[in-house]
Amino acid sequence: MDFYPTLIESNQRRLSDVGAVFLLIVLIILFPLYWLVSFAHRFYSLRMRGFWVAKKGRHTIEYEELRNGEVERLEMFSEMSVGAPDVVYVPSEKEWTQKMPDWAQTRREEILERVKSKLGTKRYEYYCPPE
């Protein structure tokens, strides 16, 4: 007598494959939608308020301003913290005038107030080294 093992197939694997494909399709649809909404929010903010502040990557805060129909930008270094607010390193007044673009050199306080108003002080701490 020949022995043939019985094969028992489960639909569980097929359902997980369908779920993975469905998730992939949803992500493919949502990513461009997220990008479009983000771009529209930035555009609206620049047009209505005249500036845009956002965290870019892990260690950069980006400030953009609409000046004479062009977008000017500058970046400030930040550091992520665990269990504490992230630290934004603000250049001293001397460093600010040396390193920042011409349009921003005399506007340090105004730009910092805008950054603080957008990012807040609950999740961010602003550190300025003594001169």
Side-chain angles (χ1 to χ4, degrees):
M1 173 153 81
D2 292 330
F3 175 74
Y4 294 104
T6 306
L7 295 177
I8 300 174
E9 290 189 22
S10 170
N11 289 333
Q12 235 179 356
R13 178 72 178 161
R14 289 186 193 141
L15 289 177
S16 67
D17 289 346
V18 169
V21 169
F22 177 74
L23 182 62
L24 183 63
I25 290 171
V26 168
L27 288 175
I28 288 171
I29 292 170
L30 288 181
F31 180 73
L33 186 61
Y34 171 78
W35 182 82
L36 184 63
V37 168
S38 175
F39 181 78
H41 183 251
R42 178 182 167 269
F43 179 81
Y44 176 79
S45 181
L46 279 170
R47 297 290 179 232
M48 297 308 289
R49 284 189 277 174
F51 70 96
W52 169 256
V53 179
K55 186 161 178 95
K56 180 180 166 188
R58 291 174 51 147
H59 300 294
T60 305
I61 302 296
E62 186 174 57
Y63 172 84
E64 295 180 345
E65 187 173 302
L66 189 61
R67 296 178 52 83
N68 303 324
E70 293 186 24
V71 177
E72 303 283 355
R73 56 180 56 89
L74 61 85
E75 294 180 347
M76 287 184 268
F77 181 75
S78 69
E79 185 175 18
M80 293 175 64
S81 301
V82 176
D86 293 354
V87 179
V88 178
Y89 292 98
V90 179
S92 66
E93 288 190 36
K94 183 179 178 183
E95 287 179 310
W96 186 278
T97 56
Q98 292 173 349
K99 295 180 180 179
M100 293 300 168
D102 294 337
W103 62 269
Q105 287 182 356
T106 59
R107 302 177 52 225
R108 179 177 182 261
E109 294 304 317
E110 176 187 356
I111 291 171
L112 289 179
E113 285 303 314
R114 288 178 169 183
V115 170
K116 287 179 183 179
S117 73
K118 180 68 176 156
L119 296 179
T121 56
K122 187 174 183 178
R123 291 183 27 206
Y124 292 92
E125 179 180 295
Y126 302 89
Y127 174 75
C128 182
E131 295 205 33

